[in-house]
Amino acid sequence: MITTCEKFGRVMSTKYIFITGGVLSGVGKGITTASIGLLLKARGYSVTAIKIDPYLNVDAGTMNPFMHGEVFVTEDGGETDLDLGHYERFLDINLSKRNNITTGQIYLSVIEKERKGEYLGQTVQVIPHITNEIKERIREVAKITSADIVLVEIGGTVGDIEGLPFLEATRQLRMEEGYRNTAFIHVALVPILSTTGEQKTKPVQHSVQELRRIGIQPDIIVARSIRPLEEEARRKIALYANLPPEAVFSSYDVDIIYEIPLILEKSGLGRYLVKRLELQERICNLDQWINFVERLKNPQKEVRIAMVGKYTKLKDSYISIIEAIKHATAEYRLKPILSWYESTLIEKNKLNPLSVVEENDAIIVLPGFGRRGAEGKIEVIKHVINQGKPFLGICFGLQLAVVAIARFLAGLERANSTEIDPYTPFPVIDLLEEQKKIDKLGGTMRLGSYAIRLRKGTITYKMYGEREIVYERHRHRYEVNPKYIDKLEAAGMVISGVSLEGERVEFIELKDYKYFIGSQPHPEFKSRPMKPAPLFKGLLKALLDT
Ligand code: GLN
């Protein structure tokens, strides 16, 4: 595909970079992909990134965060894989639901076309119909974004049965788009044998062999290991992978993921890739990024933040919130010490809600669904209100804050959300009529970016830089029940943001309270390095002022 690259005053072809994984999943392919994107963006190229998930779910919306991690929500309301969050944060761009392709989507669309008769007379097969559909979707993203470079990360590990059609499609793309317009990067684990401390390259050798078996010769290998790759290991990988040693790069464990692009750039990955794709080499400007990493690495004061939720065992369930906290702490040179509290333990009297509040400087009540653990969160919020500590409640966190305000400040005993107790006498959180009519679960929440009108004079308004209209991303079914607003306001609740039609409560505060904010949308999805989300910034600023 040819796109006009105005910046360079010449016509250039779209470049495609395919990222595959070897040996194990979870070796940090997403971060590697995002980092490579940043190195190209820092050279003035426009970049977009696609995540391919070879599972049969149409999207990540119905998947359990315990198993799959966070569901990342895009501007256009896609419920996507958490890697899209890494891409958005590293590349500072907004992606669309189109940037997350799943086997479910591909098959759904091919089968729908077959039923319509679009393939009349043909036998519909994996090759070419499924692979064509995959290629079409990748090219569609290239076309819509008109990006100079399209990164395509293929989820899972090379050798997985379900990933095969995607690898085959990328192999075909190499043929169709040409060698100079496509590059394959293989990210694979190099384990260290505990008895000898030796870096073992055999698993990488095997995964490269597996790739070659299906017709893909990688151009670059990124070896993931605990420590930097030793020369001997690099040489061995290069030899078996049929590559020069300069094409083998090392990505080792670091405390701060934002350091990875800097490590890769230093080792020459950016330069090598630009040359390989016959792109014009340009100055790589990472100054601001370096500055951000420096601030993260040199904090001046510790702050303790309580993270109260239900999926606390898998931290990936709240990855965007963790990153948003880091962005905000970098701004103020603070070191966040996050303590995780499983709210169901509070219900079982195994955890004291008062000590959750007392042990920390600030409290975040995390998003969530369903009854389990909800009462534990409400108990924590009760003590937060009593102690006056800085608080941020996100989505379900806002809803439970409203329940706590109703019960403990407005005197509405047994007030609740109908999600938790359908028979509550005071349904302060309830479904709106339009949600009551929906019976399917997938993709039926209020999703994506909506405009919010802020109320002047509130803390929320101040934190958003005194803007009257702001946009945040949503993922919820339930709402503050308009019937109780008068009572809640009389008890000290301030509605600091509403939807444009004025019907939905988007942000709340408490009167005469230092920092007590509830947010129906998820501000974490729009937080970026060097551009922290206002409400997270506010939470930490409140700590500085004390
Ligand atoms: N369970 C709540 C709702 O559906 C909150 C969802 C969330 O926290 N993302 O409205």
Side-chain angles (χ1 to χ4, degrees):
M1 186 187 296
I2 307 290
T3 54
T4 312
C5 183
E6 284 176 12
K7 279 177 284 210
F8 307 109
R10 65 192 172 92
V11 171
M12 82 172 242
S13 309
T14 308
K15 308 284 180 180
Y16 294 91
I17 301 173
F18 304 108
I19 295 100
T20 55
V23 184
L24 289 181
S25 65
V27 290
K29 247 184 317 155
I31 302 279
T32 309
T33 304
S35 300
I36 292 168
L38 175 63
L39 300 188
L40 295 164
K41 195 181 172 202
R43 286 171 162 83
Y45 292 102
S46 64
V47 179
T48 191
I50 298 172
K51 172 75 190 288
I52 287 178
D53 281 306
Y55 46 66
L56 277 163
N57 303 59
V58 170
D59 62 35
T62 52
M63 292 169 99
N64 185 341
F66 257 142
M67 284 171 65
H68 190 68
E70 165 188 284
V71 175
F72 185 79
V73 180
T74 54
E75 286 287 292
D76 59 356
E79 297 177 277
T80 69
D81 184 74
L82 59 81
D83 277 324
L84 267 77
H86 293 313
Y87 307 159
E88 286 206 351
R89 288 186 282 270
F90 278 63
L91 300 173
D92 193 16
I93 51 172
N94 286 337
L95 298 173
S96 146
K97 55 174 94 162
R98 276 188 223 95
N99 292 64
N100 193 187
I101 301 173
T102 68
T103 300
Q105 289 167 21
I106 300 288
Y107 275 79
L108 190 64
S109 131
V110 168
I111 291 168
E112 269 167 9
K113 285 181 189 167
E114 188 275 334
R115 290 290 82 186
K116 272 194 222 147
E118 284 184 30
Y119 308 113
L120 222 49
Q122 298 176 33
T123 308
V124 182
Q125 293 181 298
V126 173
I127 303 172
H129 300 95
I130 293 294
T131 46
N132 282 351
E133 183 75 26
I134 296 168
K135 290 187 291 182
E136 221 170 86
R137 283 179 183 237
I138 294 173
R139 286 192 172 113
E140 194 193 359
V141 173
K143 197 165 148 210
I144 290 172
T145 59
S146 58
D148 300 330
I149 297 153
V150 181
L151 295 145
V152 184
E153 177 192 345
I154 300 164
T157 311
V158 168
D160 295 346
I161 292 176
E162 47 185 23
L164 272 176
F166 293 103
L167 291 171
E168 168 59 19
T170 58
R171 188 193 66 79
Q172 294 175 17
L173 276 171
R174 143 91 31 115
M175 298 288 293
E176 292 164 18
E177 299 290 329
Y179 178 77
R180 54 196 290 265
N181 297 327
T182 49
F184 283 89
I185 300 182
H186 189 55
V187 184
L189 180 78
V190 175
I192 294 179
L193 208 61
S194 59
T195 43
T196 59
E198 199 190 342
Q199 292 184 334
K200 304 300 281 183
T201 63
K202 188 75 78 197
V204 181
Q205 295 172 28
H206 279 289
S207 74
V208 172
Q209 256 171 37
E210 190 62 27
L211 259 184
R212 281 211 296 251
R213 204 174 58 79
I214 46 183
I216 296 171
Q217 161 67 47
D219 301 288
I220 287 174
I221 296 206
V222 175
R224 274 287 291 120
S225 50
I226 299 172
R227 296 194 309 267
L229 194 67
E230 283 153 22
E231 264 328 290
E232 175 63 14
R234 180 193 309 275
R235 255 193 346 87
K236 254 195 192 162
I237 293 173
L239 179 68
Y240 283 94
N242 203 16
L243 285 172
E246 306 85 75
V248 180
F249 296 88
S250 162
S251 173
Y252 45 88
D253 287 4
V254 283
D255 290 336
I256 295 168
I257 52 164
Y258 298 106
E259 235 183 308
I260 293 171
L262 303 179
I263 293 170
L264 294 178
E265 178 60 19
K266 215 167 150 194
S267 62
L269 179 60
R271 282 189 302 279
Y272 190 89
L273 193 55
V274 161
K275 211 162 120 204
R276 166 62 188 76
L277 289 170
E278 295 178 31
L279 284 162
Q280 204 183 4
E281 178 56 305
R282 327 190 83 222
I283 292 166
C284 175
N285 184 353
L286 286 166
D287 292 352
Q288 282 190 322
W289 196 270
I290 293 169
N291 185 282
F292 167 68
V293 171
E294 278 310 306
R295 273 184 287 139
L296 268 181
K297 283 171 89 173
N298 299 297
Q300 281 160 0
K301 190 182 158 198
E302 286 187 354
V303 286
R304 289 163 303 163
I305 304 175
M307 306 287 276
V308 186
K310 181 164 69 168
Y311 313 112
T312 50
K313 264 192 227 125
L314 181 69
K315 306 290 182 284
D316 266 1
S317 309
Y318 305 108
I319 183 92
S320 292
I321 295 178
I322 299 173
E323 297 309 318
I325 294 172
K326 288 188 203 160
H327 304 158
T329 46
E331 184 91 2
Y332 297 120
R333 291 196 165 233
L334 297 170
K335 182 184 170 78
I337 311 286
L338 305 185
S339 300
W340 298 86
Y341 299 98
E342 160 65 88
S343 54
T344 42
L345 294 180
I346 300 170
E347 292 170 2
K348 291 181 194 151
N349 290 327
K350 288 188 182 152
L351 185 65
N352 179 354
L354 178 60
S355 55
V356 172
V357 178
E358 281 179 342
E359 282 163 16
N360 291 282
D361 303 312
I363 289 86
I364 296 182
V365 172
L366 299 160
F369 292 85
R371 176 186 301 174
R372 197 172 63 81
E375 282 301 325
K377 292 179 183 170
I378 296 167
E379 275 301 299
V380 169
I381 300 169
K382 178 176 91 182
H383 292 292
V384 166
I385 296 174
N386 289 340
Q387 305 255 319
K389 289 228 170 133
F391 168 83
L392 178 61
I394 304 169
C395 204
F396 204 29
L398 164 135
Q399 297 175 357
L400 299 178
V402 171
V403 171
I405 293 167
R407 286 189 196 171
F408 309 118
L409 298 181
L412 302 174
E413 225 180 288
R414 287 180 47 227
N416 218 329
S417 161
T418 50
E419 182 179 0
I420 304 162
D421 175 8
Y423 307 106
T424 168
F426 306 112
V428 288
I429 305 292
D430 199 3
L431 290 176
L432 290 186
E433 284 308 315
E434 57 186 80
Q435 281 288 1
K436 284 184 187 162
K437 289 183 214 128
I438 297 171
D439 57 355
K440 278 190 194 159
L441 285 182
T444 57
M445 279 187 261
R446 183 169 181 247
L447 290 166
S449 177
Y450 287 95
I452 301 168
R453 188 186 306 284
L454 299 183
R455 184 197 265 188
K456 285 191 182 152
T458 58
I459 297 173
T460 313
Y461 177 69
K462 200 169 140 214
M463 285 321 303
Y464 276 97
E466 314 210 326
R467 277 183 293 153
E468 251 171 78
I469 306 283
V470 297
Y471 292 81
E472 290 288 6
R473 299 185 193 170
H474 299 71
R475 183 172 185 251
H476 65 113
R477 277 199 180 82
Y478 291 81
E479 306 273 353
V480 175
N481 187 341
K483 286 186 207 131
Y484 289 93
I485 285 178
D486 289 347
K487 279 204 175 72
L488 293 164
E489 282 182 329
M493 189 175 102
V494 176
I495 295 174
S496 50
V498 290
S499 61
L500 276 199
E501 61 294 357
E503 203 191 8
R504 299 165 198 263
V505 171
E506 295 275 18
F507 297 123
I508 62 146
E509 301 180 0
L510 272 182
K511 213 162 42 202
D512 305 324
Y513 195 105
K514 181 159 191 125
Y515 196 85
F516 186 100
I517 306 269
S519 170
Q520 186 58 77
H522 293 255
E524 68 273 19
F525 292 139
K526 283 174 71 173
S527 185
R528 308 266 162 92
M530 301 163 287
K531 288 185 205 157
L535 295 184
F536 285 89
K537 229 173 115 173
L539 185 75
L540 292 156
K541 189 166 174 291
L543 291 179
L544 271 190
D545 299 345
T546 39

